[in-house]
Amino acid sequence: MRFMRTWDLQSSDPLSLFLAADARLCSPDYTDDQIWELALGGGDPPAMALESMLGLRAVYLRIFPVFAVGSRPVHDPADFVSPPMVRGFAPNYLRIECEPSKGLAATCEYWVPESHGLAGRITLRASGGDPVRGELRLAGILRPSTEGTCFAGVAAGPLIGTYLRGRTMNFHPVIVMAGASGVGRGTIPSLKTALEADPSRPQSVRWAFACRSSAEESLTLARSLLDRDWDGEIARIELTNESLLEIETGRRDWDAVLAFSQTAAVQSMVGPTAYLPHSSPVAGRDPQRGFSLRGDGGDYPPGWSGAGLCDLLMVLPVWALVKPEMAKDLLRNYLETARDGLPDARPGAGKQRSGLLAPPLLAQTAWRALGGREDTGFLEALWPMVDRYLDAWFDPSHDRDQDGAPEWDRIDSLGPEAAPMFARENPWDGWIQPAEVESPSLAALLLGECYAATRMASRCGAADRAQHWRRRAEDVRRALERMDSGGGYRTVDRVTHESGPGRKLWEGKSLELADCAVTLEKPARLLLRCAGGTETQPSARQGSSARAGVRAVLRGKNAQGKECEEEFSGMQFGWKGGSGACISRTVWTRVDSIHTEGPSAEATFRLEVPDLRREDLLHFLPLWSREVSPAQGDKFFARLTAPDGYSTPSGLRFVPSPDPAAGKEPADGVWMVWNMLMGEAAIRYGKESLALDWIDRWMRTLAISLRNDRSFRSCYSPESGAGSGPRNSLQGIFPVGLFLATLGVHPVSSSRVWVGGRSIFPFPVKIRYKGMILTRLEDTLQVEFPSGVRREFRGTRRTLIDSERD
């Protein structure tokens, strides 16, 4: 049986061997999703073991084969004659080949048909001329996380036979094996069967695992999996995975990274649920996650509590290829869970909602969901919500000064990476409230969204709204111009529209009356910080009563030169732990005195001009929205790659190296979504050599992570490439859509493909998709369709190649 590609990956290669229920073939259970990972060696005892934690219900659960041929049983791959080799993989399937002892070859297959069950098949062949006799054992080790019992053999009579059963919490995992003759010898629980492999007659042994809330349910499910038609099921998996791109670059690591990236993107999908009508992605589908003790997902971490549009930017290009209708379903979730017609930023499958308006990316992701296809019905269904929510961004609750440049609402409005300017981790660093400033990142995204909404309105026959969004785009463009300092875009105060450098004016303790006598160079609103002592903790321990005990009075002159006074109360502050900050309502030109009161004598205060000139990678989003002239774009790309800029061996770091947050996670990390947008910008501005250099760095970084950690991570260290955050994270995959953009190729179906521009790679790249073979080099594309029709295209003009039309 041929998979799309036969691999020969060993433990020294980039690997990500996670297994999970595939949303294309079943409905993964959001609240009880059992996820596995295959280890090719190591552990206690060392083995080629399939491992899980059952969503933290188990400290560990391991299932592995033991080959008893000759004098001693073998389970450690280090003792195999030939080590395990990964030959085929899919989101819910793995095929491994090895030679555990001389003359005996084994093919081990693992398949996850649904969230509560796992099936395996071991095919044994005599690789020499003589038959091989012995014993095959399937060992299972379960260590419950709380109360429970380890695996033990259970003899259930002739109809059911012997099986392994354990208990963790109120769940009962079982392992069954077809033809099991009893429990194997040794201290590790195992099932055994005779090993009889002849040169002309391979031996096939099937087994299954299930974990449900009763032993009877588990046993029923496990035995039903044994009865499934393995060859038919694997053929179905193979057919389904023809829609994944098989990419051959001639670079072994690149091919593996691209293949595992697609697998992780598909594995990210769970649901649907009672609260979210379609499947949705989660970040970090790994063995530690997937079980909700509450039973509704309300106790899940942020990565499992709702996906944002930035997450969709990573997975939509894959889903638009593998199952176009499900790609559109990702946006239909926003449509069908909207409140008052407005989409939440991160609707969760367990009814979680962020309470934030979705960032201005909805129309832009809609076009990506289509993947080059036409679907007027989908656009018409989505259009009214796009129109309403984009209008909402310009109402006074978001555009507080009604100048056409809205403000972010919270530090997590866009995604998990808070700009250091807004971050609250260090009481004397950042802490500016997003609603008090206008950001070039939001302006750039709004500009791109207005363009996308204009296009959508025109397609849906709403000419008047198309004109409306053209005018709005002009308003945003003018606002973005105000943020342009000539050398880059800066965050500006929403009242003064100035972007000043930070400056400390005064620092002292509670119950002080200080004469400052400070004149400001430019009128500015001021930031007052308060930090409680180790025993005060004004927000964490004493709550609102302690916050109410925080008070400060500032006296001086305002922007009109008039004597004035402003009082700050604790309830106006934004708090985290024992620290808080508040920005003044008054625009000051001079500060004469400050009087402070805190919940204790240990409380400290600091008054400063906030530093609005701090920069991060999001300040370069105007490049992505194509609002920067080519000449200015050259300067921006030069700043990105400068020695004191953002370029690192791993990719583009989130903050420049001189920033105080450099070297501190997660602000200093390499986040693939922002690197993807900068890569797309480089392609748009014709920076092919730069894009190629970045891709090479990203590929090296992800290959390092897959070698050392066996997983994609949320973000990566700028220098070492080490990952952090959840394992098997969709946020850390290589963006397949960007790779296609660098080729200038986008498959639509088995008979149609878009081509335009030229490949940035100096070597040919071959892609197989649904039986279609594409070979791309520079401005030439050779296409072989499944029907046998061949086409060759040369040029850079965007063209749709169709097998049925010349």
Side-chain angles (χ1 to χ4, degrees):
M1 186 170 295
R2 182 193 182 275
F3 256 72
M4 288 192 297
R5 181 171 184 173
T6 299
W7 296 82
D8 57 349
L9 299 174
Q10 303 182 55
S11 58
S12 58
D13 289 309
L15 293 172
S16 179
L17 303 181
F18 293 91
L19 283 173
D22 189 335
R24 298 171 298 170
L25 299 168
C26 68
S27 295
D29 187 342
Y30 175 62
T31 60
D32 185 7
D33 185 36
Q34 297 163 27
I35 304 160
W36 299 83
E37 182 179 6
L38 181 67
L40 295 183
D44 184 18
M48 182 179 70
L50 203 59
E51 301 175 338
S52 183
M53 297 175 71
L54 299 179
L56 298 181
R57 280 172 287 186
V59 176
Y60 58 79
L61 191 162
R62 306 179 78 223
I63 302 174
F64 56 91
V66 180
F67 305 91
V69 179
S71 59
R72 66 186 180 93
V74 177
H75 52 75
D76 185 354
D79 297 330
F80 287 5
V81 173
S82 177
M85 186 88 70
V86 179
R87 292 297 190 185
F89 57 87
N92 65 341
Y93 175 87
L94 282 171
R95 178 162 56 93
I96 312 296
E97 293 181 0
C98 60
E99 192 172 349
S101 63
K102 187 175 181 180
L104 178 66
T107 299
C108 299
E109 296 171 277
Y110 308 91
W111 166 45
V112 177
E114 53 123 298
S115 283
H116 316 113
L118 163 73
R121 180 170 67 174
I122 303 173
T123 302
L124 303 167
R125 296 177 177 83
S127 56
D130 299 322
V132 179
R133 301 287 185 265
E135 188 175 84
L136 173 66
R137 302 174 195 162
L138 186 70
I141 302 176
L142 170 66
R143 182 181 171 188
S145 59
T146 54
E147 63 167 325
T149 57
C150 300
F151 278 133
V154 177
L159 293 179
I160 298 178
T162 302
Y163 66 98
L164 299 183
R165 185 174 74 193
R167 182 174 66 84
T168 178
M169 298 171 57
N170 294 321
F171 292 82
H172 299 262
V174 303
I175 301 175
V176 300
M177 183 168 71
S181 59
V183 177
R185 294 181 180 180
T187 59
I188 299 174
S190 65
L191 300 173
K192 67 177 183 178
T193 190
L195 191 161
E196 301 175 342
D198 293 327
S200 60
R201 185 170 54 85
Q203 179 184 9
S204 180
V205 178
R206 287 176 292 147
W207 59 270
F209 166 92
C211 181
R212 300 295 284 165
S213 57
S214 73
E216 292 75 16
E217 287 180 290
S218 297
L219 192 58
T220 298
L221 174 58
R223 295 196 65 82
S224 72
L225 296 179
L226 287 183
D227 295 334
R228 300 277 282 268
D229 176 12
W230 257 84
D231 288 339
E233 296 288 354
I234 304 309
R236 183 183 177 209
I237 293 172
E238 182 180 35
L239 182 63
T240 300
N241 283 281
E242 284 187 350
S243 58
L244 289 172
L245 299 176
E246 181 183 327
I247 303 173
E248 296 181 18
T249 65
R251 301 187 176 193
R252 184 183 179 90
D253 284 6
W254 285 34
D255 293 358
V257 167
L258 289 165
F260 286 122
S261 291
Q262 293 177 80
T263 298
V266 173
Q267 284 176 337
S268 69
M269 293 297 172
V270 297
T273 68
Y275 305 110
L276 213 56
H278 307 289
S279 296
S280 62
V282 294
R285 200 169 173 209
D286 72 81
Q288 296 187 41
R289 303 179 188 272
F291 174 66
S292 171
L293 190 61
R294 282 181 41 174
D296 61 1
D299 51 346
Y300 278 154
W304 275 64
S305 298
L309 290 169
C310 289
D311 295 324
L312 265 57
L313 287 175
M314 297 294 287
V315 300
L316 270 174
V318 175
W319 278 92
L321 290 167
V322 301
K323 203 156 187 179
E325 203 59 32
M326 286 188 73
K328 290 178 280 190
D329 284 345
L330 296 179
L331 294 179
R332 290 186 179 114
N333 277 329
Y334 287 84
L335 182 65
E336 297 180 34
T337 60
R339 296 179 181 178
D340 301 322
L342 300 177
D344 187 84
R346 290 182 289 279
K351 206 178 179 179
Q352 306 97 329
R353 302 293 183 265
S354 69
L356 290 166
L357 182 64
L361 280 167
L362 189 58
Q364 295 168 87
T365 53
W367 288 109
R368 293 199 180 208
L370 291 178
R373 300 172 180 87
E374 294 291 333
D375 190 337
T376 304
F378 170 68
L379 294 178
E380 289 177 344
L382 199 62
W383 163 245
M385 185 175 70
V386 168
D387 193 43
R388 282 194 300 270
Y389 108 104
L390 195 49
D391 253 341
W393 268 109
F394 292 95
D395 71 30
S397 63
H398 303 285
D399 186 3
R400 293 158 180 86
D401 57 358
Q402 289 291 281
D403 66 345
E407 302 85 34
W408 292 118
D409 298 318
R410 293 193 327 223
I411 60 174
D412 59 341
S413 288
L414 181 56
E417 318 75 72
M421 181 185 297
F422 304 144
R424 299 180 177 184
E425 275 64 35
N426 186 327
W428 301 134
D429 195 20
W431 278 81
I432 297 170
Q433 297 179 37
E436 300 296 343
V437 295
E438 294 172 354
S439 167
S441 62
L442 178 54
L445 294 181
L446 278 167
L447 191 58
E449 193 71 355
C450 287
Y451 292 149
T454 300
R455 184 181 172 196
M456 189 180 291
S458 299
R459 191 65 59 89
C460 295
D464 57 332
R465 297 305 291 171
Q467 184 59 32
H468 170 78
W469 292 118
R470 288 190 192 95
R471 289 194 297 267
R472 275 297 190 192
E474 290 300 319
D475 294 339
V476 179
R477 183 183 293 106
R478 285 191 290 270
L480 196 56
E481 288 173 355
R482 292 200 303 267
M483 303 176 200
D484 186 0
S485 66
Y489 288 93
R490 289 179 177 166
T491 302
V492 299
D493 184 289
R494 70 171 176 86
V495 175
T496 66
H497 290 153
E498 294 290 340
S499 179
R503 177 187 175 190
K504 183 176 76 173
L505 303 180
W506 171 84
E507 186 173 352
K509 291 189 175 182
S510 176
L511 301 176
E512 284 194 20
L513 175 60
D515 292 326
C516 299
V518 176
T519 300
L520 306 182
E521 295 178 4
K522 289 186 176 181
R525 294 196 297 161
L526 304 180
L527 185 71
L528 179 66
R529 306 172 184 263
C530 172
T534 56
E535 297 183 357
T536 57
Q537 293 292 308
S539 67
R541 291 190 181 184
Q542 298 179 349
S544 60
S545 61
R547 297 183 191 184
V550 176
R551 178 175 177 272
V553 178
L554 193 62
R555 294 185 177 87
K557 291 185 178 181
N558 62 19
Q560 290 73 40
K562 296 180 179 179
E563 298 281 347
C564 66
E565 174 182 298
E566 182 174 349
E567 179 176 334
F568 300 80
S569 68
M571 301 306 291
Q572 296 172 256
F573 283 57
W575 294 95
K576 183 172 183 179
S579 303
C582 178
I583 200 163
S584 70
R585 297 180 299 276
T586 304
V587 177
W588 298 88
T589 57
R590 178 182 173 84
V591 177
D592 293 323
S593 68
I594 182 171
H595 174 68
T596 56
E597 297 176 10
S600 77
E602 296 184 19
T604 57
F605 291 83
R606 185 163 110 178
L607 182 69
E608 63 186 59
V609 177
D611 185 2
L612 298 183
R613 294 191 180 181
R614 291 185 70 178
E615 186 183 80
D616 56 57
L617 200 55
L618 301 184
H619 284 68
F620 291 82
L621 284 179
L623 280 172
W624 184 65
S625 65
R626 311 185 200 196
E627 221 17 67
V628 178
S629 68
Q632 193 175 17
D634 289 342
K635 296 179 181 178
F636 281 15
F637 285 113
R639 290 186 55 218
L640 284 171
T641 57
D644 62 345
Y646 295 80
S647 185
T648 75
S650 301
L652 299 173
R653 68 200 314 165
F654 192 64
V655 296
S657 53
D659 191 273
K664 303 175 185 176
E665 293 186 356
D668 193 44
V670 173
W671 295 83
M672 286 309 301
V673 65
W674 310 127
N675 278 255
M676 173 185 73
L677 299 187
M678 292 301 101
E680 291 179 0
I683 296 298
R684 292 170 180 174
Y685 280 83
K687 305 294 182 181
E688 295 182 357
S689 60
L690 180 58
L692 183 59
D693 176 61
W694 285 349
I695 287 174
D696 188 57
R697 296 182 190 215
W698 300 331
M699 287 292 188
R700 284 202 307 268
T701 298
L702 300 189
I704 287 172
S705 186
L706 295 186
R707 274 197 176 88
N708 299 339
D709 195 28
R710 302 301 191 211
S711 178
F712 297 107
R713 293 283 192 147
S714 294
C715 69
Y716 302 94
S717 165
E719 303 302 329
S720 70
S724 59
R727 302 183 74 233
N728 199 28
S729 176
L730 66 90
Q731 296 169 340
I733 65 176
F734 190 91
V736 175
L738 171 62
F739 189 83
L740 292 176
T742 60
L743 286 175
V745 169
H746 192 98
V748 177
S749 68
S750 60
S751 60
R752 304 169 74 205
V753 57
W754 284 103
V755 61
R758 56 188 292 122
S759 169
I760 71 169
F761 302 110
F763 47 80
V765 175
K766 180 178 287 187
I767 296 178
R768 289 181 173 87
Y769 175 70
K770 291 187 175 182
M772 178 172 61
I773 302 175
L774 310 170
T775 304
R776 181 68 157 158
L777 178 62
E778 297 178 342
D779 63 349
T780 299
L781 176 67
Q782 295 177 347
V783 187
E784 182 178 341
F785 293 100
S787 62
V789 173
R790 297 173 181 267
R791 297 274 191 269
E792 182 167 335
F793 176 85
R794 184 183 295 272
T796 58
R797 183 171 56 86
R798 180 169 167 80
T799 304
L800 179 65
I801 300 176
D802 192 323
S803 66
E804 299 179 359
R805 290 184 292 179
D806 291 330

